[in-house]
Amino acid sequence: MYWYNKYYMYMYISQFLIMISLTLQNRCLNTRSMEGMKLSVHPHEVMVDERVSVQVSGLAANQRVTVYSSIKSGKGEVFASCGCYQAEKDGTVDLERTPALSGTYTGTDGMGFIWSMRPAPGQRSGLRLVQTDVTKPQLVNISIHSGHHSLSDLCKGHSNPPLVTGVLPRWYKSCDVSRIPVTSGRLRGTLFLPKGPGPFPGLIDMYGTGGGIMEYRAALLASRGFAVLALPFFGYQDLQKSFSDLDLNYFKEAVTFLDTHTHVQSGGLGIIAISKGAELGQFIAIHCPVIKAIVSINGMPYLSFSPIHDGHITYPNAIELDLALYDHTEEGICSKTGHCFDTSKFFKVWESDVKILSIIGSDDMNVHPDLHQLQVGCFPAHKQNNIELVVYEGAGHLIEPPFSPHCRASYIKMLGTNLVWGGNPVDHAYAQEDSWRRILHFLNKHLREGHRKEGIKSLL
């Protein structure tokens, strides 16, 4: 255990020093500018699933201003938003009360300055904002400009210097959550553990055909009191290069690793996954009775594109990866059209006792939304309570944690082009915020029930 304690101490001290540095930076958020204007952001530092209050004071009555916000990704890509406002008679703009008249969002929405972000003009198409290093905060730069300006002009610097500026740090990983790389046998991934001995309810977190590892949702869920294994299954370290011919035993090893961990409570694990990962999550649950709950986000109800092997047994895929079956548009490939509606090839998850929360975007351009309703219809009457289907009108495929900027299409290396995910920013933002609360409620209900609930961190 010496290596673990030493690693944890190093990560904790490093993040503590970052937080001290950011605390000093944050003073600018409540410091008046030379013109007597003030930008107030409360709280000064938050988890990404928490709301903030943004206010500007010291303006002239009815003064026209633009709130410009931006984030630079770990790869140097810039995502930005703007909202054009007219100050109240008392010279204030409160993003929760004052309507945005134009910009990347309109109307009264206190978090529109984040969820409406889009790739800044002049960059390549198909960008997606992903936090690759969860030990560092996502920094939101906020500036207030006199007059109304377009996003293009602001991004290109075609406006007067800002009246006042500030930086909002947003964290995916709480400082008291430990991040532990996993290299156990052939198993690869990252384990996130809340502070304390536990035991904590265990979760496996998987993503889709983009490959590699995604840690941000796992880190956030660990910050809400779950022990979470972010599990890659191809395109990471020495794992296989593609998702063809996957081995079921790899996933069984991941289940055993988490289920037997000293910090994980006994009695059952959960899976949260999106797209190809959600498809695999259902398949794993059929073969691993220890899986008691699944959050499936726009996942197919059958094996797609390639078979899965389990020793000498091969489980065939229901559809092939045939780009000729898909719609090719200016935005990219829409794969919604190339799916299997033969329910005899669906996973028979109703034969197990696993509970499923199925989160669906009605404007998903990747997986046809009708598939999920067909799957619900396969459940016999006495098992209907085992699956809950929530369909969000206008939402797309990539339903992420709250306030994540909407990504309508992004580049997929495997395809060599953009894949269209669908959705519109306003409806998608609602889906992300509402589904997150449902997800936390669902996981708490089915994984914590009957266990002690000390130290639970929840938005409920």
Side-chain angles (χ1 to χ4, degrees):
M1 292 298 290
Y2 172 74
W3 70 270
Y4 168 79
N5 292 331
K6 185 177 179 181
Y7 179 82
Y8 177 78
M9 181 179 293
Y10 170 77
M11 293 303 298
Y12 186 88
I13 291 173
S14 298
Q15 191 161 345
F16 180 71
L17 291 174
I18 291 174
M19 292 181 68
I20 291 176
S21 174
L22 288 170
T23 299
L24 295 175
Q25 293 180 35
N26 284 350
R27 291 176 181 173
C28 68
L29 290 178
N30 284 305
T31 300
R32 289 182 180 275
S33 66
M34 293 181 62
E35 294 80 10
M37 295 171 190
K38 181 179 178 182
L39 171 63
S40 300
V41 181
H42 181 78
H44 292 172
E45 187 171 349
V46 294
M47 301 301 295
V48 296
D49 57 359
E50 296 174 335
R51 284 182 164 268
V52 295
S53 173
V54 179
Q55 299 176 335
V56 185
S57 58
L59 302 169
N62 302 318
Q63 182 175 346
R64 290 155 60 95
V65 295
T66 301
V67 177
Y68 172 54
S69 306
S70 65
I71 295 172
K72 181 177 285 189
S73 74
K75 297 179 180 179
E77 301 154 348
V78 177
F79 294 77
S81 71
C82 68
C84 298
Y85 293 87
Q86 181 172 305
E88 308 288 346
K89 293 181 179 179
D90 61 358
T92 64
V93 169
D94 183 341
L95 268 61
E96 293 181 309
R97 297 187 299 107
T98 310
L101 304 177
S102 60
T104 57
Y105 60 99
T106 58
T108 305
D109 193 316
M111 296 299 291
F113 74 105
I114 294 179
W115 63 250
S116 73
M117 284 187 177
R118 59 189 63 171
Q123 302 177 104
R124 68 173 178 84
S125 66
L127 295 182
R128 176 183 175 189
L129 181 59
V130 173
Q131 185 78 2
T132 55
D133 186 351
V134 296
T135 66
K136 297 178 181 179
Q138 181 188 77
L139 299 178
V140 183
N141 297 285
I142 307 172
S143 56
I144 311 302
H145 297 257
S146 180
H148 287 176
H149 304 276
S150 69
L151 183 64
S152 178
D153 286 345
L154 289 163
C155 291
K156 294 175 181 177
H158 298 166
S159 63
N160 294 326
L163 303 173
V164 62
T165 63
V167 179
L168 169 66
R170 303 172 71 237
W171 293 87
Y172 281 94
K173 187 179 85 66
S174 173
C175 65
D176 57 3
V177 167
S178 58
R179 176 187 176 276
I180 308 166
V182 174
T183 52
S184 175
R186 62 174 175 170
L187 186 62
R188 300 292 179 265
T190 306
L191 179 63
F192 292 91
L193 293 176
K195 183 179 180 180
F200 306 103
L203 272 174
I204 293 175
D205 187 351
M206 295 187 294
Y207 276 77
T209 54
I213 190 170
M214 298 282 199
E215 295 186 353
Y216 54 91
R217 186 173 58 199
L220 186 58
L221 284 165
S223 302
R224 296 300 171 204
F226 297 90
V228 190
L229 174 62
L231 182 66
F233 50 93
F234 78 97
Y236 178 69
Q237 294 184 356
D238 56 351
L239 294 178
Q240 61 189 68
K241 300 303 181 183
S242 73
F243 60 76
S244 62
D245 296 313
L246 293 171
D247 185 354
L248 178 60
N249 284 303
Y250 174 79
F251 300 98
K252 288 181 177 180
E253 289 172 23
V255 170
T256 300
F257 169 85
L258 193 60
D259 186 46
T260 57
H261 197 282
T262 55
H263 288 69
V264 176
Q265 72 183 24
S266 60
L269 303 175
I271 294 176
I272 181 169
I274 187 170
S275 195
K276 179 69 176 181
E279 164 196 322
L280 293 172
Q282 295 181 57
F283 186 75
I284 294 166
I286 295 173
H287 297 273
C288 299
V290 73
I291 303 299
K292 301 299 183 184
I294 299 174
V295 176
S296 173
I297 304 171
N298 287 315
M300 284 173 276
Y302 51 77
L303 279 181
S304 65
F305 307 144
S306 64
I308 288 185
H309 304 286
D310 184 11
H312 297 296
I313 302 173
T314 296
Y315 296 94
N317 45 301
I319 60 171
E320 300 290 342
L321 180 58
D322 185 354
L323 298 184
L325 297 176
Y326 304 149
D327 293 332
H328 295 251
T329 69
E330 291 184 0
E331 291 183 288
I333 294 176
C334 296
S335 60
K336 174 180 178 178
T337 53
H339 286 283
C340 170
F341 291 87
D342 180 357
T343 57
S344 68
K345 297 181 179 181
F346 284 15
F347 300 128
K348 294 179 173 58
V349 283
W350 53 85
E351 294 181 354
S352 71
D353 289 325
V354 67
K355 302 296 188 292
I356 302 174
L357 173 62
S358 186
I359 304 293
I360 308 304
S362 74
D363 193 40
D364 187 347
M365 292 291 144
N366 186 252
V367 178
H368 201 295
D370 290 351
L371 288 170
H372 311 290
Q373 191 61 59
L374 282 175
Q375 182 184 36
V376 172
C378 291
F379 278 64
H382 68 285
K383 290 289 188 77
Q384 283 288 319
N385 290 335
N386 282 4
I387 185 167
E388 178 184 359
L389 180 66
V390 183
V391 181
Y392 291 99
E393 292 298 324
H397 186 74
L398 296 179
I399 298 178
E400 297 274 45
F403 318 120
S404 300
H406 170 239
C407 177
R408 182 169 171 84
S410 67
Y411 181 80
I412 299 297
K413 184 178 181 180
M414 178 189 70
L415 299 178
T417 186
N418 290 348
L419 197 58
V420 181
W421 307 115
N424 70 77
V426 175
D427 290 330
H428 200 84
Y430 171 79
Q432 292 185 148
E433 188 174 8
D434 184 75
S435 65
W436 188 247
R437 293 183 181 276
R438 289 177 184 268
I439 288 168
L440 292 178
H441 175 79
F442 175 83
L443 294 175
N444 278 317
K445 177 181 177 181
H446 295 292
L447 298 182
R448 290 193 195 274
E449 205 167 84
H451 296 270
R452 62 188 180 89
K453 300 185 179 182
E454 298 174 10
I456 293 177
K457 294 181 179 181
S458 174
L459 292 180
L460 302 177

